[in-house]
Amino acid sequence: MEQMDGTADTPELQQLYRDFEANDMAPLWTQRDDLMPMTPSPQAIPFVWRWKTLFDLAERSGELVPVGRGGERRAVGLVNPGLPGTGYATPTLWCAIQYLGGFETAPEHRHSQNAFRFVVEGEGVWTVVNGDPVAMRRGDLLLTPGWNFHGHHNDTEKPMAWIDGLDIPFSSYTDVGFFEFGSERVTDEASPAVSRAERMWAHPGLRPLSVLDEKRSSPLSAYRWEHTDAALREQLKLEDEGFAATVAPGHAAIRYTNPTTGGDVMSTIRAEFHRLRAHASTLPTHEVGSSVWQVFEGTGTVVLGDVEHKLEKGDLFVVPSWVPWSLHANDAQFDLFRFNDGPIMDRLNFARTYVPGRDKEIR
């Protein structure tokens, strides 16, 4: 009897394999290791992009490439070397640096894909979401859920750059994408300090009785840095006072949530912020699903697999599925923003986490 390893050493078996190929078929027994690995075996690889390099290239793009109808955005995607030819950071997540010059306007459009913006430095740009101008400032998370019209305008002479995160790879794989052009400029060029969405939803623990139905994505368009910073600061203060307020010693963290459900801000993207005290470290962690991190402040290191990388402000790195990661802060506080595909993994019941030394088994 032949072994089930694809070995074809008889004329009849060789002909069988040729007939499989001719009829667009592939036997499981020759590819079980690829289709059903013992643990996730991602094509994406751990990788680090340096903010200084990204900003320099974005700035050069600003000098050479106009923003406007057609290309729509001066956004440059981060391409994972393990996914060549895709423009993807991970199999489910797209990440880009977007650059808007002084007094420029990116026209409005909408698409099925969910999107957000995170600002590591700068201010002066407003993103207009369904006619609601939302100020973009350092440390802010700004949401543009799928099928919401949106554009951006810069009210200053100074350029500004930020990161965009979208579920483009997942949407492309599942063929769910729609796109529609909107206004050539933005439907409201005002520049209020507070958006209408914030006036309605940004009151902690309070919900308007006029809108009690659950929203698939958060109706709050801006999660402001002052609130994120305060939440993390208080967790560490409570830890100092002896209370169990942090996820691990010296490691404060928050998840941005949808105020109508308490769940993730969008149906396909989870967003978090992590703060490590000086010299604090995290345990190596394996997770199903992929994530992208950006250093917001401070310096430290990340170990991806068995390779250590030094990090500083603005640097981005990607963690593919099941690749162990751990963080270490240098001599000062270390702040990092993170987004991942957690909502997808949770809903499909694929989510798993394993911390060697803490967990007895994969759970």
Side-chain angles (χ1 to χ4, degrees), residues 79-92:
V79 180
N80 190 298
L83 304 171
T86 64
Y88 301 161
T90 85
T92 53

Side-chain angles (χ1 to χ4, degrees), residues 120-143:
V120 73
E121 59 186 6
E123 60 180 37
V125 170
W126 272 256
T127 183
V128 182
V129 182
N130 282 342
D132 187 9
V134 186
M136 298 176 61
R137 296 185 290 263
R138 171 172 159 76
D140 292 346
L141 172 67
L142 301 313
L143 301 185

